[in-house]
Amino acid sequence: MPKSKRLMELMMTVNRKRRFKVGELADEFNVSTRTILRDLQELSELGVPLYSEVGPHGGYQVLRERVLPPIAFTEGEAVAMFFAVHALRHYSSLPFDAESASALSKFYFHMPGDIRDQIDRMKERVDFVSPTRRGDAPHLSALLDAAVHQKVLTITYESKSEGTTSRQIQPISLYAHNGFWYCTAYCFLREGIRVFRCDRIRDASPGSAEPLNLSDIRLSRQEVVLPTDPVRLQAKLTRIGTQRCESELWLSPHLHVHEDGTAEIDVEVSRSDIPFYTEFFISLGKEAALIGPRELKAAIRQHLAELLEKYQEG
C-alpha cells in the first residue's frame, strides 16, 4: 500500500478507534511497529491530536477535539455546504456558534479563486431568510449537551403566564422555528414534557435530580408533548387561515385539510396554554372560526373587550 494511502486510512482508523495500541495498528496494516510509530508522528505533525500513555495498559488516545480526515467535495457540493452554514447567520444564537463561523471561514478561504468568485455572486442571488429576533439564547450549547448526554439542568425560566420560576428539566431536543429556538424537555416541576423557548431561559446549571431514560423520545414535538388537564380545541379555517397555520410547526400536524384548501383543527391541548391560544386565534382574525373550548372563547372575548376599551375615544 502506498504511504499516502496508508496515512489517509490510518487517520480515519485512529479517529474511529479513539484509543489504540501500536501493535494493533501494525497488525491491521500489516507493517512493522516502527513504521506505525513513524506514521503516527507524521499524523501528529499534520494536526491529529494524539496523546500517548505509558505503562502496561498504555497506548495512544485521540483527544476529544479530533481533526477529521480530508474530504473531497465537488464544486457543487462545496457551494451547497457553504450556503448551508451561511444561512445560519440569521440566528443571533447557535448551539455551535464559533464552530459554524470557523467552518464557514475554512470553506471559503480554502476554495479556489473561481469558486469564491462564484459564491460571492451567488450571495446576491440566493438566501435562506429567518426572522431576526432580539432575544439571545446563550444557553443553547448547555441545552444541546444535556439533550445528547441525558443530563438534568436547573434553569431559571420566564414565561408570560407564570412569571419567573426555577425548575429542573432534562432536555430532549432543540429546534429552530420562525427565528426562535425551542427546547423540548421533561420538566420535573410539572412532571411532564414541556416546550421551552430558549431565549426565555435566563440561567442553566447542572441539576440534582436523577436523569430519566428518554433515549427513545425523538425530535418531533407531536410525538412527545402530551397535554395536561386537556381541553378540546376545535376550529374551522379559511384557505388563508389554513396557509398561516400550516407554517406553524406545532400546529400543522393537527390540521385536517379539505380539497378546497380550508381546514379544521380538532386536538386536545393543555388548559394552561389557553393564554397562548387566545393571542394566536386573535391574530388569525376572520380567517378562523373557533368552536371550542368555551374557556378559550371567553378569554378571547375578554381580551378583545380590553383592547376595545383601550382604543375608545376619550
Side-chain angles (χ1 to χ4, degrees), residues 9-27:
E9 292 190 6
L10 182 60
M11 182 183 296
M12 290 187 288
T13 299
V14 299
N15 269 282
R16 185 180 68 251
K17 287 179 176 292
R18 294 297 300 273
R19 296 178 66 90
F20 56 88
K21 293 184 178 181
V22 172
E24 297 172 354
L25 294 180
D27 293 339

Side-chain angles (χ1 to χ4, degrees), residues 5-246:
K5 183 178 180 181
R6 186 178 70 245
L7 284 175
M8 182 70 69
E9 292 190 6
L10 182 60
M11 182 183 296
M12 290 187 288
T13 299
V14 299
N15 269 282
R16 185 180 68 251
K17 287 179 176 292
R18 294 297 300 273
R19 296 178 66 90
F20 56 88
K21 293 184 178 181
V22 172
E24 297 172 354
L25 294 180
D27 293 339
E28 185 171 340
F29 285 88
N30 197 27
V31 295
S32 67
T33 56
R34 182 176 297 179
T35 298
I36 288 293
L37 286 171
R38 285 199 302 265
D39 289 347
L40 291 175
Q41 179 62 33
E42 290 194 38
L43 290 185
S44 180
E45 293 172 356
L46 290 172
V48 178
L50 296 173
Y51 171 74
S52 61
E53 298 175 323
V54 298
H57 302 291
Y60 280 82
Q61 180 177 350
V62 181
L63 299 182
R64 185 175 182 180
E65 293 295 330
R66 294 175 288 171
V67 176
L68 298 179
I71 302 174
F73 288 101
T74 65
E75 291 182 5
E77 289 171 340
V79 171
M81 291 290 290
F82 176 88
F83 277 97
V85 180
H86 183 63
L88 297 175
R89 75 192 189 284
H90 293 295
Y91 286 91
S92 59
S93 301
L94 292 170
F96 31 74
D97 198 7
E99 292 84 354
S100 62
S102 175
L104 193 64
S105 176
K106 288 180 180 179
F107 251 94
Y108 184 81
F109 289 107
H110 288 82
M111 288 180 184
D114 60 325
I115 302 300
R116 289 202 301 270
D117 292 341
Q118 179 183 345
I119 287 176
D120 290 339
R121 291 192 297 269
M122 291 180 70
K123 283 181 182 178
E124 305 300 324
R125 299 290 183 265
V126 63
D127 200 359
F128 306 90
V129 178
S130 176
T132 302
R133 305 296 186 180
R134 285 192 224 168
D136 290 333
H139 304 293
L140 287 178
S141 295
L143 293 169
L144 179 59
D145 180 72
V148 171
H149 298 101
Q150 299 199 66
K151 298 178 182 177
V152 175
L153 297 177
T154 298
I155 64 169
T156 302
Y157 189 69
E158 292 184 3
S159 68
K160 291 183 178 180
S161 59
E162 300 181 75
T164 302
T165 58
S166 178
R167 63 184 76 195
Q168 294 194 81
I169 66 170
Q170 184 172 333
I172 297 170
S173 61
L174 290 178
Y175 63 91
H177 176 61
N178 202 25
F180 290 113
W181 281 96
Y182 296 87
C183 176
T184 302
Y186 181 86
C187 177
F188 289 86
L189 177 65
R190 301 302 177 208
E191 297 184 338
I193 293 173
R194 296 289 186 273
V195 177
F196 299 90
R197 228 176 74 180
C198 297
D199 60 306
R200 294 177 178 169
I201 296 177
R202 303 305 180 203
D203 184 59
S205 59
S208 58
E210 186 69 23
L212 305 175
N213 183 7
L214 304 177
S215 57
D216 290 337
I217 301 179
R218 303 306 179 192
L219 182 63
S220 176
R221 282 196 305 171
Q222 61 266 24
E223 293 180 12
V224 300
V225 180
L226 300 177
T228 56
D229 190 14
V231 292
R232 189 176 179 185
L233 175 62
Q234 293 177 292
K236 293 184 178 181
L237 304 171
T238 66
R239 284 186 296 175
I240 295 176
T242 301
Q243 292 170 2
R244 290 181 58 183
C245 290
E246 283 178 330

